[in-house]
Amino acid sequence: MSTNQTTEARRGKAPAGERVADWADGRLGIYSLAKANMRKIFPDHWSFMLGEVCLYSFIIIILTGVYLTLFFHPSMNEVEYHGSYVPLQGQLMSEAFNSTMHISFDVRGGLLIRQIHHWAALVFLAGMFVHMMRVFFTGAFRKPREVNWLFGFLLFVLGMFTGFTGYSLPDDLLSGTGVRFMEGAILSVPIVGTYLSFFLFGGEFPGGDFVARFYSVHILLLPGIMLGLVVAHLILVFYHKHTQFAGPGKTNNNVVGMPLLPVYMAKAGGFFFLVFGVIAAISAIAQINPIWAIGPYRPDQVSTGAQPDWYMGFSEGLIRVMPGWEINFWGHTLVLGVFIPLVIFPLVLVAIAVYPFIESWVTGDRREHHILDRPRNAPTRTAFGVAWITLYMVLLIGGGNDLWATHFHLSINSITWFVRIAFFVGPVLAFVITKRICLGLQRRDKEKVLHGRESGIIKRLPHGEFIEVHEPLSQDALHTLTAHEQYEPLAIGPTVDENGVERKVKGSERLRAKLSEAYFGEESQIPKPTVEEYKEITSGHGHH
Amino acid sequence: MSSQDIPEENLPAEQDTHGAVGVADEKNPFADPGLPPHEHRIQDVDERAAKRSERSVALLFTVSMLATVGFIASYVAIPADESVYIWPIGHISAMNFALGMTLGIALFTIGAGAVHWARTLMSDLEIADERHPIEAPPEVKTKVMADFKQGAKESALGRRKLIRNTMFGALALFPLSGVILLRDLGPLPGDKLRHTLWSKGKLLVNMNTNEPLRPSDVAVGSLTFAKPEGLEEHDEDFQTEIAKAALLIVRIQPENIKDKQELEWSHEGIVAYSKICTHVGCPISLYEQQTHHVLCPCHQSTFDLSDGARVIFGPAGHALPQLRIGVNDEGYLEALGDFAEPVGPAFWERG
């Protein structure tokens, strides 16, 4: 480097911080890194903090999780309880349960850390869900961010299983019931199910192995993969730069916002403490997973109102509402009543994961997109997303059908039947309604651009007519409302050329054209106002 | 930082080179007007307001320090088993509440201070940065492709097919060792799922009293849970055995039993069924005496115990297995054999 000499000359004179930085730069090249990133621009929008909530809760989970491993014994050896919680004195339980009791009652602050760990996990999953929806509905998954979308999706799925293996560790009655459910689901897999179950549990359920095995999966395998994915996710966020909403001065070729140092660093860094502080306060006042009230696991005991953590609820719904179909043939049993939900479970998730690739295939658009869509301006996508959420929520209702029944005094049978029907009808209805709402909002935007904002001022004309005064929009608003671009539906073109020779059109092309028509046809978007329309209306006076 | 400190070149007026694409004019009223002018906050123009912000931030950080002191004090001073009444939550652990609240406040005020600092005192000037295409320019791509071709050629991988094929073979085979190593994760199922601890002559032992049951112990309308004689809670394999052997016993007036085999396998209207749900294995524990229905609280499968325990609602696929029972010479209820079919969730080999 050319600065070597200057650095030599200044040695001893530069402030200590700079000397340390020089030392590090000579070995790590931090100045080049900082040049590109220290004043990197981050756009500001409230919805961009959803991803931060996930990142910070993930860090909180790791910090508290490491603390918990210092006290937790992942063993299923039976011991008699002799801790300080009187009602369970003398009760037989596994060492896992016993050590969780120890953490909760005898380690000072242990209960707090346990509750922070569990609450942060719920917030992590909820944050990822909402963050994913934000990315989905604004079209932030489009090129060049498809891979990052998949990383995020994998994090969500792995987060679900890390959560499941985590809450199963204390070996309490509730979580053991969940593990039993999982074992029953594995048994339903044709041909290999019984073997899978025996290999996973080291023999018959529950055996003496699964806590230790879940433990290594929960604290090492899955979080290790997730940590890698989080890092990759963040590197890509940095590399792609943030998306932004359309607005004055914001284009597809720039990114408008505040620099990393100092504003974003202070806000994002501060936000970590806000998230941590709120979760700590929640954990101080809201009890979660009181295993002492639930008791240790016994395969022949159960409590009513058994529920998984919320993110597993939709799989619970699938298993609860599925009719109990079983086919017996040639000495074998096909347990469709359990196996079909087991197959639909990943399919529900995959449906949302592959969507970006389907959309980019339909549009055929290969450009980079950095300006976010307003959901209304992509009605078909928005409708699909709402349909998916509807399906998810219907299944969540199914997963808690007993609680709905007891809390709202409904018949469990009618709830189950409602879910069975709504599973098919709900998403379709949601799709149609959402699309119509989006189109309505597009019409309103158009109206606003062409005729201005309703001012609320009523004017009486000399001949007695009342009119409402519309105020023209500012140019900022005009630009923002018309900045989105609208695709033309894909046309296959004539299949017979002028010489009468027939052109072969592939089936996939036909499907693509059909989908494109469904996406961008007349029924699916309101043409945005043109400059000509605007001028025609604004040049004449008296039109409102 | 006040507005006077903002370098001129950062002001929006100086940034038209990037940012705006078009200039608003008569021709295109929808054109991008460019970044809006920066609006000063009160802290930018009034040093007293800035001072107030500074004091607020410092106050928040100070509160954080105090809360941390409070955390340490709570840890040391509060007995671990003390409970405290907090309105409107009720009685909760004093230690957990104090530690959580002090920690929460200590963290939250750091965050609130930093955010307030950033919002009121750091520059709020929006800056535009240019994006660069993610795709490499064509000449870079050409260079990379050429380099790759050169590397591939030098490796001779394409030319020396024998090396290539054997290498792929070796790489494809070696993970098999890892798969083989998983074999000892568990024993093979064999017919383990077909058998339980029940066998001819085993007494039905009341789960709660640990005493063998007599027919007179089982009243009409009651629900009794039983285990096989000889299985004790302290046994090493208790959990695994009870997971299959758990029994539920009810008494129904014999004339109300609709299923012929059920009546044959019962004793004076006392019927014994597997407690393990045939859906995914939850223990069934809710009994409706009037209808003789039992309900699994996990997934609401409902079985009619007066009709061979067939499924009348819910996701279970087949009836609960019945245990054939009788009475021995001493008048105790006993099993007349093992379950005739596997208990619990269905599986591929069940048939």
Side-chain angles (χ1 to χ4, degrees):
Chain A
M1 272 171 95
S2 63
T3 50
N4 268 358
Q5 284 169 329
T6 25
T7 321
E8 288 298 326
R10 286 173 56 191
R11 175 155 292 174
K13 277 184 252 169
E18 190 182 320
R19 287 209 304 276
V20 172
D22 284 344
W23 187 92
D25 183 53
R27 281 130 194 109
L28 305 170
I30 58 165
Y31 287 150
S32 308
L33 201 68
K35 177 171 172 274
N37 292 310
M38 196 182 265
R39 292 284 279 178
K40 191 177 183 67
I41 298 301
F42 284 85
D44 212 356
H45 189 268
W46 66 266
S47 68
F48 297 167
M49 78 178 182
L50 294 168
E52 284 179 46
V53 172
C54 307
L55 175 66
Y56 299 149
S57 46
F58 184 65
I59 295 171
I60 295 166
I61 292 169
I62 290 180
L63 290 176
T64 50
V66 169
Y67 181 83
L68 292 174
T69 61
L70 304 179
F71 302 97
F72 179 71
H73 301 175
S75 153
M76 294 176 82
N77 290 340
E78 292 285 316
V79 291
E80 223 168 88
Y81 181 69
H82 295 297
S84 49
Y85 184 68
V86 178
L88 286 184
Q89 285 291 343
Q91 179 97 34
L92 280 179
M93 55 182 62
S94 64
E95 261 188 68
F97 190 92
N98 190 40
S99 60
T100 313
M101 290 296 288
H102 179 69
I103 292 171
S104 307
F105 287 98
D106 304 301
V107 176
R108 281 180 284 179
L111 177 62
L112 180 71
I113 300 299
R114 243 196 83 211
Q115 303 211 118
I116 292 179
H117 191 70
H118 204 144
W119 272 117
L122 295 192
V123 170
F124 180 48
L125 268 298
M128 283 198 286
F129 188 87
V130 184
H131 174 58
M132 198 161 99
M133 290 302 109
R134 191 285 284 180
V135 169
F136 182 88
F137 285 112
T138 57
F141 54 71
R142 289 171 296 170
K143 190 184 171 188
R145 296 182 179 78
E146 300 100 320
V147 177
N148 224 15
W149 162 266
L150 287 183
F151 284 177
F153 170 77
L154 283 177
L155 280 167
F156 180 67
V157 175
L158 293 177
M160 286 169 51
F161 286 101
T162 314
F164 179 81
T165 49
Y167 71 66
S168 298
L169 288 180
D171 200 22
D172 57 285
L173 189 57
L174 180 62
S175 72
T177 305
V179 176
R180 174 90 226 215
F181 159 20
M182 192 190 89
E183 195 250 357
I186 292 174
L187 279 182
S188 77
V189 176
I191 303 170
V192 295
T194 321
Y195 290 83
L196 286 180
S197 169
F198 271 66
F199 286 164
L200 181 61
F201 289 92
E204 287 180 82
F205 178 86
D209 288 327
F210 85 79
V211 166
R213 290 181 180 178
F214 277 28
Y215 186 66
S216 71
V217 170
H218 175 75
I219 70 156
L220 182 68
L221 182 64
L222 293 181
I225 300 171
M226 288 175 75
L227 191 62
L229 282 171
V230 166
V231 171
H233 198 74
L234 290 178
I235 289 176
L236 280 180
V237 167
F238 257 72
Y239 185 55
H240 291 147
K241 298 195 169 95
H242 234 290
T243 50
Q244 59 193 357
F245 279 101
K250 295 169 181 179
T251 73
N252 205 34
N253 299 319
N254 73 5
V255 50
V256 178
M258 308 285 186
L260 176 65
L261 186 77
V263 179
Y264 189 75
M265 203 173 261
K267 275 191 181 175
F271 194 53
F272 167 73
F273 290 95
L274 291 181
V275 172
F276 204 163
V278 168
I279 291 178
I282 291 173
S283 307
I285 53 177
Q287 173 179 279
I288 188 163
N289 198 16
I291 55 148
W292 53 90
I294 300 168
Y297 181 59
R298 277 270 301 260
D300 62 328
Q301 292 175 358
V302 72
S303 55
T304 54
Q307 285 288 311
D309 275 6
W310 77 266
Y311 44 87
M312 281 293 177
F314 82 100
S315 60
E316 180 84 5
L318 280 168
I319 203 102
R320 284 189 186 195
V321 303
M322 180 73 197
W325 297 340
E326 265 178 35
I327 301 175
N328 287 294
F329 59 99
W330 303 323
H332 290 295
T333 303
L334 195 53
V335 197
L336 293 177
V338 182
F339 186 59
I340 289 179
L342 190 66
V343 173
I344 298 179
F345 166 65
L347 286 185
V348 170
L349 295 170
V350 165
I352 198 86
V354 299
Y355 178 81
F357 301 95
I358 295 171
E359 190 186 289
S360 78
W361 177 67
V362 172
T363 59
D365 189 347
R366 295 193 180 167
R367 297 165 302 166
E368 289 183 12
H369 289 277
H370 303 292
I371 295 283
L372 296 172
D373 281 327
R374 296 169 84 207
R376 69 186 61 175
N377 290 331
T380 309
R381 176 203 298 152
T382 305
F384 177 81
V386 174
W388 186 83
I389 292 179
T390 306
L391 181 73
Y392 192 94
M393 292 303 161
V394 163
L395 289 174
L396 265 188
I397 294 175
N401 59 357
D402 51 339
L403 297 182
W404 283 84
T406 51
H407 283 66
F408 297 100
H409 305 288
L410 299 166
S411 143
I412 192 128
N413 307 37
S414 16
I415 299 167
T416 303
W417 271 108
F418 164 78
V419 173
R420 283 176 181 175
I421 295 165
F423 177 83
F424 295 100
V425 178
V428 177
L429 273 182
F431 186 92
V432 173
I433 293 171
T434 309
K435 202 161 168 184
R436 294 197 77 92
I437 292 175
C438 287
L439 293 180
L441 290 170
Q442 281 191 25
R443 281 197 195 91
R444 196 178 73 171
D445 282 350
K446 185 173 185 174
E447 180 82 9
K448 251 161 82 175
V449 167
L450 293 179
H451 300 282
R453 184 178 67 85
E454 289 176 10
S455 64
I457 299 167
I458 307 291
K459 220 159 83 175
R460 190 179 174 191
L461 298 182
H463 58 275
E465 184 193 350
F466 288 96
I467 57 161
E468 184 179 5
V469 180
H470 284 228
E471 281 177 3
L473 296 185
S474 68
Q475 194 176 355
D476 284 2
L478 286 179
H479 171 70
T480 307
L481 289 179
T482 54
H484 62 285
E485 63 173 47
Q486 296 187 310
Y487 290 100
E488 295 283 326
L490 178 85
I492 290 188
T495 49
V496 180
D497 67 12
E498 58 247 42
N499 299 327
V501 181
E502 214 171 309
R503 183 169 63 94
K504 279 254 165 88
V505 181
K506 277 196 292 186
S508 62
E509 273 308 288
R510 283 180 203 280
L511 176 68
R512 198 174 143 202
K514 265 200 186 134
L515 282 174
S516 182
E517 178 66 29
Y519 262 81
F520 311 116
E522 272 177 37
E523 306 272 295
S524 302
Q525 57 186 1
I526 307 297
K528 64 178 185 180
T530 61
V531 175
E532 290 72 37
E533 280 178 293
Y534 180 81
K535 280 188 178 154
E536 193 186 316
I537 286 174
T538 45
S539 58
H541 294 286
H543 295 289
H544 292 283
Chain B
M1 187 196 273
S2 77
S3 63
Q4 279 77 15
D5 302 330
I6 299 169
E8 279 291 306
E9 63 270 19
N10 281 357
L11 289 173
E14 305 295 322
Q15 295 198 352
D16 273 357
T17 42
H18 45 259
V21 274
V23 180
D25 57 22
E26 278 295 303
K27 280 191 189 124
N28 185 1
F30 300 160
D32 184 356
L35 280 181
H38 177 237
E39 279 177 31
H40 292 299
R41 296 162 300 190
I42 181 145
Q43 288 87 355
D44 295 331
V45 288
D46 183 357
E47 182 55 25
R48 278 177 309 171
K51 271 270 180 240
R52 275 200 301 276
S53 286
E54 183 183 351
R55 279 196 296 271
S56 311
V57 174
L59 177 69
L60 285 165
F61 288 159
T62 312
V63 170
S64 171
M65 288 189 265
L66 293 175
T68 300
V69 172
F71 181 92
I72 297 168
S74 313
Y75 188 92
V76 176
I78 299 176
D81 56 355
E82 187 162 304
S83 85
V84 65
Y85 182 82
I86 305 288
W87 187 87
I89 307 164
H91 287 279
I92 55 173
S93 155
M95 168 78 88
N96 188 64
F97 179 74
L99 291 182
M101 287 316 283
T102 48
L103 180 65
I105 292 169
L107 293 164
F108 189 89
T109 44
I110 293 177
V115 172
H116 191 59
W117 179 11
R119 288 174 66 93
T120 58
L121 294 173
M122 293 180 189
S123 164
D124 70 336
L125 191 69
E126 287 203 308
I127 301 172
D129 236 2
E130 271 183 88
R131 290 185 194 273
H132 308 285
I134 306 295
E135 277 172 1
E139 57 273 19
V140 171
K141 185 185 164 186
T142 318
K143 170 88 170 79
V144 169
M145 298 309 275
D147 284 357
F148 179 77
K149 272 203 189 109
Q150 184 64 23
K153 199 177 143 205
E154 284 170 18
S155 77
L157 192 71
R159 201 154 57 84
R160 306 209 179 273
K161 296 230 163 55
L162 190 59
I163 292 183
R164 190 193 65 184
N165 294 346
T166 48
M167 180 183 77
F168 284 165
L171 289 176
L173 277 185
F174 94 87
L176 278 181
S177 314
V179 176
I180 288 289
L181 282 172
L182 296 178
R183 164 61 189 86
D184 275 352
L185 275 176
L188 295 181
D191 58 356
K192 293 192 186 73
L193 292 182
R194 296 194 167 271
H195 303 294
T196 72
L197 269 191
W198 292 107
S199 60
K200 186 163 169 51
K202 279 226 171 145
L203 299 184
L204 277 59
V205 175
N206 187 322
M207 197 65 110
N208 294 324
T209 61
N210 218 13
E211 298 290 335
L213 282 162
R214 290 172 178 278
S216 55
D217 297 335
V218 186
V220 171
S222 70
L223 173 68
T224 313
F225 299 134
K227 62 180 181 179
E229 158 196 17
L231 179 63
E232 296 300 330
E233 278 193 354
H234 281 86
D235 292 349
E236 207 196 326
D237 54 355
F238 173 79
Q239 294 277 71
T240 304
E241 289 303 338
I242 199 68
K244 289 190 299 185
L247 211 58
L248 61 85
I249 298 167
V250 298
R251 189 168 200 157
I252 304 171
Q253 300 290 2
E255 61 270 23
N256 288 343
I257 296 179
K258 296 169 202 149
D259 188 78
K260 214 174 118 199
Q261 182 188 303
E262 180 179 356
L263 191 62
E264 272 172 29
W265 287 18
S266 68
H267 175 78
E268 294 170 3
I270 298 173
V271 290
Y273 280 102
S274 165
K275 196 188 176 188
I276 308 302
C277 184
T278 57
H279 178 220
V280 284
C282 273
I284 295 164
S285 47
L286 299 173
Y287 179 53
E288 209 173 45
Q289 345 174 308
Q290 305 296 326
T291 57
H292 312 301
H293 294 169
V294 280
L295 179 98
C296 172
C298 294
H299 307 112
Q300 291 83 42
S301 294
T302 313
F303 304 86
D304 185 352
L305 290 194
S306 66
D307 190 11
R310 70 184 174 90
V311 185
I312 53 170
F313 186 76
H318 58 270
L320 296 172
Q322 188 180 2
L323 187 71
R324 189 169 188 177
I325 55 167
V327 169
N328 70 3
D329 304 339
E330 293 159 41
Y332 289 110
L333 288 172
E334 63 169 6
L336 296 181
D338 198 354
F339 287 101
E341 51 179 318
V343 301
F347 49 96
W348 175 251
E349 296 86 352
R350 186 176 184 276

